[in-house]
Amino acid sequence: MPLVSMRQLLDEAAKGGYGVGAFNVNDMEQIQAIMGAATETKSPVIIQASRGARQFAQDRYLFHLILAASELHPEIPIAMHQDHGNSFETCKSAIALGYTSVMMDGSLKEDGKTPSTFEENVEVTRRVVEYAHPLGVTVEGEIGVLGGVEDGHGAGGSGLDHITDPDQAVEFAERTGVDALAIAIGTSHGAYKFNKKPDGSVLKMDVLIEIHKRLPHTHLVMHGSSSVPKDLQDIVNEYGGKLKETWGVPVEEIQLGIRNGVRKINVDTDNRLAITGAIRKVLWTQPEKFDPRDYMKPAREAMQKVVSQRMTQFGQAGHSADYAPLPITEIAKGYASGALDTRPSLAAK
Ligand code: 13P
């Protein structure tokens, strides 16, 4: 099956009332872990690569690895997504490679660190939408700023520094025409999100619910959504790691989000922890080993287990064969005719 439009995948998720995990990849084993989980749970899937991943693996390696996944698993709809594009040029280069979806993160300036103004964000995101939609490519935007830093991208600081203002979210959706919108509700990238189990004072699910009420046709995206499970932290620390005590986003909060318009859930850290724990365990307990396969195989299995769990918890399991994926040229026609326009003023009609 060719790579499919993320918009179609999210529209189907909205119809079915479930969420779809977007898992970050840097290498072959991570892609295989995701495809193993998708096959096991019969899930459609979003595979995403950050700028850091594209640099690490090199564009053509990564693209062809994901293409190989779609050739080997024609029964699984796969959307290939650029995570946190920092500029029009980054998004354009992903589209040129064959990505079916891009995130233009205009919440930060091109340096990927400094918060931008609302007007700057609108302008660059709208430009990407105008370029991507005629090609059938999906666009995710971000309003408000996530906390933390991932792969060198992020404003740092706490997730509470730049919570999304619902009025701005509505204006942003109207003026850009994005398909999906990442909002800041107190989460941050990386392992250190909360210093205790989060409650409503630090994880603003009420803001998310308000935004969904006002933007019922825009797919919401939760970034920084690793749950950072204690058992994964413990494995890393048991075998020589030095993680400090930390809390992630509880799965039940993500499920509350899914009941309120969240269709895409970004998860990277949990998989990093699973991989690191598995590798540490082999190297710590069997120091005589030196064949990378001896630790990469358990690492891949550990990640597959986490991804399978999330696919089941997000509700995407069992939905891989619900629909026939449309070629992105068909999706482009939907944008051209206005049928896929989700701007609040139009979608309400
Ligand atoms: P985590 O660090 O919580 O896994 O978030 C990943 C993410 O949001 C990627 O964009």
Side-chain angles (χ1 to χ4, degrees), residues 6 10 14 21 23 65 81 92 121-122 141 150 156 166 171 182 188 192 200 208 227 276-277 291 312 315 324 326 346:
M6 187 169 88
L10 299 185
F23 303 101
L65 285 170
H81 176 74
K92 192 175 165 199
N121 191 356
V122 167
E150 187 189 31
E171 189 182 339
S188 45
Y192 300 105
L208 184 149
S227 301
T276 299
D291 181 341
T312 305
L326 295 167
L346 299 171

Side-chain angles (χ1 to χ4, degrees), residues 274-275 277-279 281-282 286 292-304:
I275 290 168
I279 292 175
K281 184 173 177 184
V282 172
Q286 303 173 77
R293 289 171 296 186
D294 288 333
Y295 50 84
M296 290 313 295
K297 192 162 175 280
R300 186 170 60 189
E301 286 164 2
M303 173 165 162
Q304 179 169 332

Side-chain angles (χ1 to χ4, degrees), residues 39-57:
T39 307
E40 199 183 321
T41 61
K42 301 189 169 46
S43 297
V45 70
I46 301 165
I47 300 183
Q48 61 184 11
S50 65
R51 275 188 301 140
R54 287 177 57 187
Q55 259 165 23
F56 171 80

Side-chain angles (χ1 to χ4, degrees), residues 24 48 83-84 150 189-190 193 223-226 266-269:
N24 288 77
Q48 61 184 11
D83 191 22
H84 290 287
E150 187 189 31
H189 292 121
K193 302 182 195 299
H223 279 245
S225 288
S226 277
N266 283 19
V267 174
D268 187 4
T269 296

Side-chain angles (χ1 to χ4, degrees), residues 87-89 91-92 95 104 110 120-134 139 175-176:
S87 66
F88 176 80
E89 289 308 323
C91 294
K92 192 175 165 199
I95 294 169
M104 177 60 236
E110 199 169 329
E120 285 168 339
N121 191 356
V122 167
E123 198 179 307
V124 69
T125 307
R126 188 172 49 202
R127 192 169 163 223
V128 172
V129 170
E130 281 167 5
Y131 181 78
H133 279 181
V139 181
R175 290 175 60 191
T176 60

Side-chain angles (χ1 to χ4, degrees), residues 105-117 120 145 154-156 162:
D105 179 0
S107 72
L108 300 176
K109 290 184 190 281
E110 199 169 329
D111 66 4
K113 291 179 174 53
T114 316
S116 60
T117 65
E120 285 168 339
V145 184
H162 304 274

